[in-house]
Amino acid sequence: MALWGRRMHAAARHSVRSLVTLSRKELRRQEHLKHVSGKTASSAEGDGLGLTLRGRSGTAWEVKVGIEMHVQVNTASKLFSAASTDSLAPANSKVSFFDAALPGTLPMLNGEAVRQAIRAGMAINGSISLNSSFDRKHYFYQDLPLGFQITQLHEPIVRGGSVSFISPHDNSPRVARISRIQIEQDSGRSVYDCPGPHVLVDLNRAGVCLLEIVSEPDLRSADETACFLKQLSSILRHIGVVDVASLSAMRCDVNVSVHRQIFKSPKENETGPTDNRDDSTSKFNDSERVEIKNLQSMKSILRAIEVEAYRQIDLLESGLRVERATRRFLPATQTTELLRSKESLLDYRFIPEPDLPSVVLTQEYVDAIRSSLPELPNEKQERFCSQYGLSRQLSSVLVNSGGGDFFEKVAVGRDVFVVANWMTTMLLGHTKHVTALLQRPEELSSSTPSSSDNNNITSARHSGDDSNNNNNNNNNNNNNKNNKDDEGLLLHDGGESAEKTQDFFWGVPLQLRGGGQSVWSHSGVATVSPAQLSFESSCTVTHKQFGDLVDLVSSNELSGLRAKELLALLFEELDPSRDVRSLARELNFLQTPVDDRVLKDICADVIAAHPVEVNRVKEGKGHKVFGHLVAQVMKRGDGQLDPRQVAAQLKALLNCN
């Protein structure tokens, strides 16, 4: 626990730069984008809507980006079975008969998955379909036992909607339209790092519920795409649709195309969009849409869009065409690689799902879900700005971190700016580090995961093109417990009441368990489900304790340095009933009033012992040096002096402001 505390303390010291300011790394990335011309196109410049790219010919090009986001829904059981969605379970230990595609098994729809899809649609102002249905999407891959994915092609549960965000180019409000949200099942997981010509298959993920969120091509740069995705993921996490700290809760496919920039006169802008361009005599053609599959990090999404846009510009300015295709991004070479051309696009042979009836909802059911939605992030940020006077940036940090409710509890009767400052500079750094440690329990114990875990992974002969794996955004499940809900849908209950049953899959015992509680990993180390790693659960300090800590600092009874140490100890002790003042008194952290004459003598001794530093301060060249002198005085007072009183006394003795 001492190691844990030191790590949290170290993480908290640097949290200001990571939470509030734009990192130097991001500034360097943006600067690199402007000079990527040495490899491809010539320059990039901002405009009112997004980013204008200029090729070697000087032609201005506009990027259009559409997103297909696959979101793993926060349910305790799978989409069509009662098998647990526990991501920490040993391989192939959460697989039902339906997940394994055994003959005679039938799907049973998860009612909680439907409810979460409706909530997601409402959060983006989408239109909820009272009648929706499922379809089969046929393709083959080793980790898709059914040979098809159950999805919603023709009648999705949500149509339309939009996401508002702030453009990174001019800080203006932007809106990206959402085309649809559909429910579908995930595939299993293929493991390629094994000896020989074999692939290991883990079916724990097979059948987990996904939401596929498809946007219109309204995004105009990689940076706009990043802002859009961050806002959308914040909304989904805020309403509980996505596991707060799931390692693979979201995966994206991006569609990229480039088009010649059309510059309109002010008169054209007033009368509406016009395009007098004659394509028959134009020097360059526009590109077809190119899809880049399976991007799982924000960094890879940004780079893939930039690289693909410049690749298309180079082709078009060389007199070639950009054909519709599917590609993948290679981080090692910073290029995109062809997977399938237009001629070889897969025929998925969609048919209506014969084993599932249509999903019929009543308006009363939809209205009841709407009334249960919490305050959305955008709404809460605006309220924080108007009600508390916080800046938009500070409000965004508090809300998007999940600490908005905690902040409001602590801020009652206190200076909101002091509370917000302490939360962003100290508390959020601790909670982020606790979450990271809980996701990597091996750092809390010398125990290592058992290598026997691979014994539970099904071996499959590697066959077919790796490109087929880009379709692995699917779901399969089993039903061991069924019931009919109030709306007439044949559903299972989302897993909370799923009974502990014992099935056997290829000789491996399967434990079907209702999720939501702490579990023990196969290595014997106590772990926590990612669904539980919200701000409230990772912040082991209560709002009362944090408020008492802020009060001690505000009343000058506790120095900022001692307060940081005390906060780390509170996280380490994990005792919500611990009184902060009593703990500070036990540790001799509380500042004691010092007679002015005694303080003056201590300061005089420090000044006499540091003549070089004193001269630099008097010459006005050493702000950091003055802080060093304050630290030396504090050290002589065993850390119990008021640093502001010390600074005032030093300035008086040095005759400096």
Side-chain angles (χ1 to χ4, degrees):
M1 294 303 293
L3 177 61
W4 189 0
R6 288 198 298 272
R7 285 176 176 170
M8 290 191 296
H9 186 58
R13 290 201 305 267
H14 304 285
S15 60
V16 180
R17 284 175 291 180
S18 62
L19 287 170
V20 181
T21 61
L22 186 64
S23 68
R24 297 189 189 96
K25 184 176 180 181
E26 175 64 15
L27 292 173
R28 287 197 302 268
R29 192 195 67 77
Q30 294 181 3
E31 187 66 23
H32 170 71
L33 175 60
K34 296 179 181 180
H35 295 89
V36 75
S37 56
K39 189 174 178 181
T40 51
S42 63
S43 67
E45 60 190 35
D47 64 8
L49 291 178
L51 201 68
T52 297
L53 306 181
R54 292 193 178 273
R56 294 190 181 95
S57 67
T59 302
W61 297 89
E62 179 185 57
V63 183
K64 291 186 178 181
V65 181
I67 292 292
E68 297 176 15
M69 176 185 282
H70 300 90
V71 178
Q72 183 175 314
V73 181
N74 183 16
T75 58
S77 62
K78 297 184 181 181
L79 181 57
F80 297 120
S81 79
S84 171
T85 59
D86 184 4
S87 62
L88 300 176
N92 286 319
S93 63
K94 304 299 176 184
V95 185
S96 69
F97 291 145
F98 180 79
D99 301 334
L102 297 187
T105 56
L106 294 173
M108 189 65 64
L109 182 60
N110 185 337
E112 177 63 13
V114 175
R115 190 181 74 89
Q116 292 282 44
I118 295 171
R119 298 176 81 244
M122 292 174 175
I124 62 166
N125 297 314
S127 174
I128 309 302
S129 301
L130 297 182
N131 290 273
S132 59
S133 62
F134 289 92
D135 305 283
R136 288 186 180 182
K137 176 182 179 181
H138 293 85
Y139 68 93
F140 169 77
Y141 207 68
Q142 64 240 8
D143 52 22
L144 187 68
L146 284 171
F148 58 84
Q149 176 193 28
I150 301 179
T151 183
Q152 291 185 314
L153 175 68
H154 300 295
E155 296 180 333
I157 194 166
V158 178
R159 292 186 183 274
S162 62
V163 174
S164 301
F165 61 95
I166 301 299
S167 171
H169 305 297
D170 56 7
N171 292 323
S172 63
R174 293 274 284 117
V175 176
R177 295 169 296 161
I178 299 296
S179 171
R180 57 197 281 134
I181 297 179
Q182 60 193 44
I183 304 172
E184 60 186 29
Q185 56 179 176
D186 207 347
S187 66
R189 182 175 65 94
S190 295
V191 182
Y192 293 92
D193 54 347
C194 55
H198 291 82
V199 177
L200 300 179
V201 176
D202 178 10
L203 295 180
N204 276 356
R205 197 179 68 180
V208 171
C209 178
L210 296 179
L211 294 183
E212 181 174 355
I213 304 175
V214 183
S215 79
E216 299 288 353
D218 293 342
L219 304 168
R220 294 294 179 265
S221 71
D223 293 312
E224 274 199 0
T225 304
C227 292
F228 165 79
L229 290 174
K230 288 176 182 177
Q231 185 62 35
L232 178 56
S233 62
S234 173
I235 292 172
L236 296 176
R237 294 179 188 277
H238 191 79
I239 65 176
V241 169
V242 181
D243 284 353
V244 173
S246 178
L247 298 178
S248 59
M250 298 182 184
R251 306 190 293 273
C252 285
D253 303 336
V254 298
N255 296 286
V256 181
S257 63
V258 295
H259 306 266
R260 281 156 299 153
Q261 182 75 55
I262 305 169
F263 296 99
K264 299 186 286 290
S265 66
K267 183 177 180 180
E268 289 176 323
N269 283 324
E270 292 174 3
T271 58
T274 60
D275 187 356
N276 298 323
R277 179 183 60 201
D278 183 0
D279 286 335
S280 62
T281 60
S282 178
K283 184 177 180 181
F284 301 120
N285 294 316
D286 293 345
S287 73
E288 291 278 355
R289 170 175 61 88
V290 174
E291 183 179 25
I292 306 174
K293 302 287 287 186
N294 280 0
L295 300 171
Q296 299 189 24
S297 70
M298 193 63 71
K299 181 179 179 180
S300 63
I301 291 171
L302 288 168
R303 293 298 299 137
I305 294 173
E306 294 166 0
V307 167
E308 179 58 25
Y310 282 119
R311 185 191 73 85
Q312 293 183 20
I313 292 174
D314 272 354
L315 286 176
L316 294 171
E317 295 196 348
S318 299
L320 303 175
R321 297 184 63 85
V322 176
E323 300 290 349
R324 184 174 177 181
T326 299
R327 303 178 70 88
R328 66 177 172 185
F329 177 65
L330 303 176
T333 59
Q334 296 290 291
T335 59
T336 60
E337 178 183 68
L338 180 66
L339 292 176
R340 293 185 295 274
S341 64
K342 181 178 181 180
E343 291 75 17
S344 61
L345 290 178
L346 296 177
D347 180 7
Y348 292 115
R349 300 184 182 274
F350 285 95
I351 64 171
E353 171 54 57
D355 294 330
L356 286 170
S358 297
V359 180
V360 180
L361 307 172
T362 65
Q363 190 61 49
E364 292 76 16
Y365 178 71
V366 173
D367 292 341
I369 294 177
R370 189 183 302 276
S371 64
S372 67
L373 277 180
E375 186 179 23
L376 297 178
N378 274 347
E379 298 170 352
K380 181 169 286 191
Q381 289 176 28
E382 293 297 331
R383 184 170 61 81
F384 277 16
C385 292
S386 60
Q387 180 176 338
Y388 299 111
L390 301 179
S391 67
R392 184 177 296 276
Q393 186 181 32
L394 195 55
S395 299
S396 176
V397 171
L398 291 172
V399 173
N400 291 332
S401 66
D405 293 339
F406 188 93
F407 162 76
E408 292 199 274
K409 293 176 183 177
V410 179
V412 175
R414 297 184 175 91
D415 188 324
V416 294
F417 295 101
V418 173
V419 175
N421 179 63
W422 266 85
M423 280 197 65
T424 55
T425 58
M426 288 303 303
L427 186 65
L428 295 183
H430 282 292
T431 57
K432 287 174 65 178
H433 197 62
V434 170
T435 299
L437 288 176
L438 289 173
Q439 287 180 311
R440 298 190 300 273
E442 65 275 6
E443 295 190 15
L444 301 180
S445 171
S446 59
S447 301
T448 56
S450 172
S451 61
S452 63
D453 187 31
N454 282 343
N455 295 335
N456 289 344
I457 302 183
T458 306
S459 178
R461 173 71 64 174
H462 175 63
S463 61
D465 193 333
D466 286 352
S467 65
N468 290 333
N469 197 28
N470 294 288
N471 299 311
N472 293 348
N473 298 323
N474 319 333
N475 260 352
N476 309 1
N477 292 336
N478 166 28
N479 13 328
N480 295 304
K481 188 170 181 92
N482 310 330
N483 55 15
K484 220 173 179 79
D485 78 343
D486 294 337
E487 308 304 328
L489 289 172
L490 192 60
L491 307 172
H492 69 76
D493 58 9
E496 284 299 325
S497 64
E499 295 179 349
K500 291 186 177 180
T501 62
Q502 188 78 5
D503 289 346
F504 289 87
F505 173 46
W506 295 345
V508 180
L510 309 180
Q511 188 71 22
L512 303 183
R513 177 180 58 79
Q517 284 139 22
S518 299
V519 298
W520 286 86
S521 72
H522 57 276
S523 62
V525 181
T527 58
V528 180
S529 169
Q532 297 175 286
L533 297 182
S534 63
F535 176 88
E536 294 292 344
S537 58
S538 61
C539 181
T540 56
V541 174
T542 66
H543 63 88
K544 182 182 183 306
Q545 289 176 322
F546 188 69
D548 291 344
L549 185 69
V550 172
D551 290 341
L552 290 175
V553 176
S554 300
S555 62
N556 296 329
E557 295 180 75
L558 193 67
S559 68
L561 179 63
R562 290 301 193 188
K564 295 174 184 178
E565 296 178 13
L566 191 59
L567 183 61
L569 289 172
L570 289 171
F571 268 92
E572 185 176 343
E573 284 197 353
L574 305 176
D575 184 2
S577 62
R578 190 68 150 121
D579 183 70
V580 175
R581 181 179 291 274
S582 299
L583 179 60
R585 187 179 296 110
E586 291 175 13
L587 297 171
N588 202 26
F589 279 3
L590 294 179
Q591 296 177 159
T592 55
V594 179
D595 185 84
D596 288 343
R597 288 176 297 178
V598 175
L599 179 60
K600 184 176 181 179
D601 291 341
I602 297 176
C603 291
D605 291 343
V606 170
I607 290 173
H610 298 82
V612 177
E613 290 84 350
V614 169
N615 289 334
R616 291 188 62 187
V617 171
K618 289 182 176 180
E619 293 171 359
K621 299 180 180 179
H623 295 291
K624 292 184 178 180
V625 175
F626 183 79
H628 173 70
L629 295 177
V630 173
Q632 293 302 312
V633 176
M634 295 291 294
K635 185 177 180 180
R636 297 198 180 196
D638 295 327
Q640 296 182 356
L641 301 177
D642 183 354
R644 282 171 287 194
Q645 187 180 0
V646 171
Q649 187 64 250
L650 283 173
K651 288 179 180 179
L653 292 175
L654 296 174
N655 295 320
C656 61
N657 295 324

